[in-house]
Amino acid sequence: MTIKIETIIKKALKENSLALEEIISLLAIDDTADLEALYAAARDTRNHVTGHKVFLYGFVYFTTWCRNNCNFCYFRKSNDIDRYRKSPEDILGICEELAESGVHLIDLTMGEDESYHKDQFSSLFDSIKDIKLKTGLPIMISPGVVGDDLIDHFASIGTEWYALYQETHNPVLFKKLRTLQDYDLRMHAKIYAKEKGMLIEEGILTGVGETLEDIAHSMLEMGTIGAKQLRVMTFVPQEGIPMKAGKMANENLECKIIAILRLLYPHALIPASLDVEGIEGLSARMAAGANLITSIIPPKKGLSGVAQNGPEVAEEGRSVEQVSPILAEMGLEPATAEDYQNYMTMLRAEI
Ligand code: SF4
């Protein structure tokens, strides 16, 4: 291992904090021994906090209609694709099935569907209440940017998490990614949700034209706003969208970011998303220090992922059954529902 990288990793392990330039040095690692040392430090940090327990999130992308035109997104308004909007009965049924399969949280994700905005999200509020009643599981919502009054309502019915990804904290790049959307409004919504007692998830995309400095800046910003779940995903180019993959899109970069986030924020929930490379990409992300698996999707329900719309989602799904043996091979195991509830309590106490 090179001395410079060894010194930075030691500092991160001791202080759980790094300067921007130090983060950039870790992101730039290209030596195999350095990379393995980074991942080993991240795994040790994770295992120290969560033992060998891994949390599992069920993903329900219940409407793919969207009023926006994000340049990286298959479901952007201008893309002429088949879309769906699941009924409240279908949503509840899918959530019950996910709960039975052993997930610890239901992640309710949607495009910015005008029909939900028109009825002021009343059907989603009803769904959340029904799902909580029937499954007893906590809920994460990803409704896009919504007003303070709606956030008040989500918080008042006990919605635990608000996920709202900036994708980058470089406002110039943001404008290129999230066309015609307001950077500050998006930041405001998640910070307001946190003030109202909700836990928040922040996220970044790699391979979208960002620099290492942009990524390092985002990693520090995620801590500043008090996000407790920190997501990174690699941009996956898809049919019909204007954006092509940037130079830096690769699995190593995503895994490096997971590992550095783990060193900076030992208690954070950091997902291994199945949405980038499916089940195949799980072990690399867990080996980099992730403590959570997201985008578990039940099969044959006609559901999509956000970054992947492939046959694995439609036909085989991505199930707890499929991920469990992979975790076992790595000496890891699914947590219990009680473990997850206790973990959320601990995260809330940190707010
Ligand atoms: S990323 Fe979200 S807001 Fe943007 S186009 Fe896709 S679904 Fe809509």
Side-chain angles (χ1 to χ4, degrees), residues 14 20 23 47 100 126 181 190 210 222 233 267 294:
K14 195 166 164 218
L20 188 87
I23 297 174
N47 294 347
E100 261 174 45
D126 290 343
Q181 293 165 59
K190 64 192 97 179
E210 77 286 3
M222 286 167 145
M233 273 173 51
H267 293 113
T294 54

Side-chain angles (χ1 to χ4, degrees), residues 91-139:
I91 296 171
L92 181 59
I94 292 164
C95 293
E96 287 181 301
E97 190 178 311
L98 278 165
E100 261 174 45
S101 79
V103 302
H104 306 120
L105 172 143
I106 301 288
D107 177 1
L108 291 175
T109 292
M110 59 184 286
E112 291 199 13
D113 184 340
E114 292 283 16
S115 75
Y116 276 85
H117 283 265
K118 264 186 211 140
D119 86 345
Q120 285 291 295
F121 285 78
S122 65
S123 65
L124 182 56
F125 295 139
D126 290 343
S127 286
I128 290 170
K129 287 182 216 158
D130 289 346
I131 295 163
K132 286 173 93 56
L133 193 69
K134 294 277 183 177
T135 69
L137 290 179
I139 304 278

Side-chain angles (χ1 to χ4, degrees), residues 61 66-70 72-73 75-77 110-112 178 181:
Y61 194 11
C66 187
R67 62 186 180 182
N68 288 333
N69 249 328
C70 299
F72 55 86
C73 180
F75 300 100
R76 66 199 303 271
K77 185 181 174 183
M110 59 184 286
E112 291 199 13
R178 293 198 175 273
Q181 293 165 59

Side-chain angles (χ1 to χ4, degrees), residues 257-277:
I257 296 170
I258 289 172
I260 300 164
L261 285 171
R262 173 60 61 217
L263 296 180
L264 292 173
Y265 310 109
H267 293 113
L269 289 165
I270 302 178
S273 174
L274 299 179
D275 219 24
V276 179
E277 295 184 309

Side-chain angles (χ1 to χ4, degrees), residues 11 34 60 72 85 110 114 141 157 194 197 208 225 245 263-264:
K11 178 185 170 189
D34 285 348
V60 185
F72 55 86
R85 182 182 293 120
M110 59 184 286
E114 292 283 16
I141 47 150
I157 59 171
K194 192 189 77 166
V208 289
I225 66 171
L263 296 180
L264 292 173

Side-chain angles (χ1 to χ4, degrees), residues 20 27 64 80 87 141 147 157 162 195 203-205 255 271 312 325 327:
L20 188 87
L27 288 169
T64 55
D80 184 17
S87 69
I141 47 150
I157 59 171
Y162 183 43
E195 285 166 8
I204 57 173
L205 261 186
C255 289
E312 184 189 70
L327 293 180

